[in-house]
Amino acid sequence: MEQKGRLKNVVQTERSADLKPVHQRQAAVLALWRWRAPVLAFELDAEWGIDPAVLESLFQLAASGEQSDRAYRRAITDLCTAPLFTSEVDPNTVQLFQLETISSLLTFGELLDNPGMDVTDRVIEGSAGLANYLDDLVDGSFYSHPSEEAHREYLANLAGRAGERYFASRNFAAESAGHRALRALPDTAGLLDSSAGRELLALCEDFGEELVTTMQWLRATGH
């Protein structure tokens, strides 16, 4: 999969080094989950040869914990046989978000075989990079974002963090909340099988739905 114009952003992320390995993995899952709705809300390019159900299963398997690692590896192997991975892609705006999220799903597969902070941080930084890029698109639009006033009010309430931008700040807030909650989560508590884990996923889903709305706005305004 060759992709033109990959994202290059300075991103702000939480450090995962102080998390236990099991919680580092879960932090990576939460970073992926924030982009689950955006990658699935829009139709995939038919020429990519990817079934959206396969992507949905990867998100679910990632959140299911180590017992699903074998199934995740099999799904990744099947995914990588799609025509997308042997072609050059020049994506439009929405497709770029889809491709970057697919790339993060592949990176998470690396984490299963090589657990550690470096791979975890690559997944987390991928989410932050996409949020920064979305801010770039909104800032560069000829149109005012329909929630511009609400975004401005949100940023005004971020004491001591001048210069922040909305989606980067929201991503960082969700990431920080996840890290705090994971530190208090028992090692045996999964994301899908514990109320605390499901609450974290729901927080990511709420942010993801907001991302979808803005991406739909960008598409409607012809970005």
Side-chain angles (χ1 to χ4, degrees):
M1 174 176 55
E2 296 184 17
Q3 181 182 334
K4 298 179 181 178
R6 289 178 63 85
L7 306 182
K8 295 181 180 179
N9 290 286
V10 176
V11 298
Q12 180 183 26
T13 64
E14 284 277 5
R15 294 295 295 168
S16 62
D18 61 341
L19 295 175
K20 297 178 181 179
V22 63
H23 296 149
Q24 289 180 1
R25 174 197 174 108
Q26 291 170 336
V29 173
L30 294 174
L32 287 171
W33 208 266
R34 291 194 281 280
W35 295 91
R36 173 178 167 271
V39 80
L40 296 173
F42 300 93
E43 186 175 355
L44 298 171
D45 190 324
E47 294 185 358
W48 295 356
I50 294 178
D51 184 348
V54 172
L55 297 183
E56 170 64 11
S57 71
L58 285 170
F59 285 107
Q60 295 292 333
L61 291 168
S64 296
E66 293 182 358
Q67 67 271 21
S68 298
D69 284 2
R70 182 175 298 179
Y72 193 98
R73 293 186 184 96
R74 286 198 304 268
I76 284 290
T77 299
D78 292 342
L79 176 68
C80 289
T81 64
L84 169 66
F85 295 93
T86 57
S87 61
E88 183 174 334
V89 179
D90 189 8
N92 61 34
T93 298
V94 169
Q95 289 173 341
L96 186 143
F97 285 99
Q98 291 175 325
L99 291 171
E100 290 291 335
T101 304
I102 291 170
S103 178
S104 289
L105 287 167
L106 297 179
T107 301
F108 185 82
E110 296 177 27
L111 181 63
L112 305 186
D113 296 316
N114 299 289
M117 185 181 67
D118 290 345
V119 183
T120 299
D121 285 345
R122 281 167 55 197
V123 178
I124 293 172
E125 289 166 6
S127 176
L130 287 176
N132 271 273
Y133 182 61
L134 188 58
D135 280 320
D136 289 343
L137 295 178
V138 172
D139 291 346
S141 175
F142 293 115
Y143 302 90
S144 296
H145 192 283
S147 299
E148 183 176 9
E149 289 301 320
H151 292 181
R152 187 178 293 116
E153 182 177 352
Y154 175 87
L155 293 172
N157 291 327
L158 295 178
R161 284 169 57 181
E164 290 280 359
R165 297 192 299 172
Y166 180 74
F167 290 105
S169 296
R170 290 274 282 113
N171 181 79
F172 184 70
E175 183 181 307
S176 298
H179 277 58
R180 288 193 301 272
L182 290 174
R183 291 187 187 102
L185 205 65
D187 293 1
T188 56
L191 290 176
L192 288 176
D193 59 4
S194 69
S195 58
R198 290 192 294 271
E199 287 176 6
L200 289 174
L201 292 172
L203 177 68
C204 294
E205 287 172 357
D206 289 344
F207 181 47
E209 291 300 330
E210 190 173 358
L211 297 171
V212 170
T213 299
T214 291
M215 290 164 66
Q216 289 171 333
W217 169 75
L218 287 169
R219 172 175 279 186
T221 55
H223 198 289

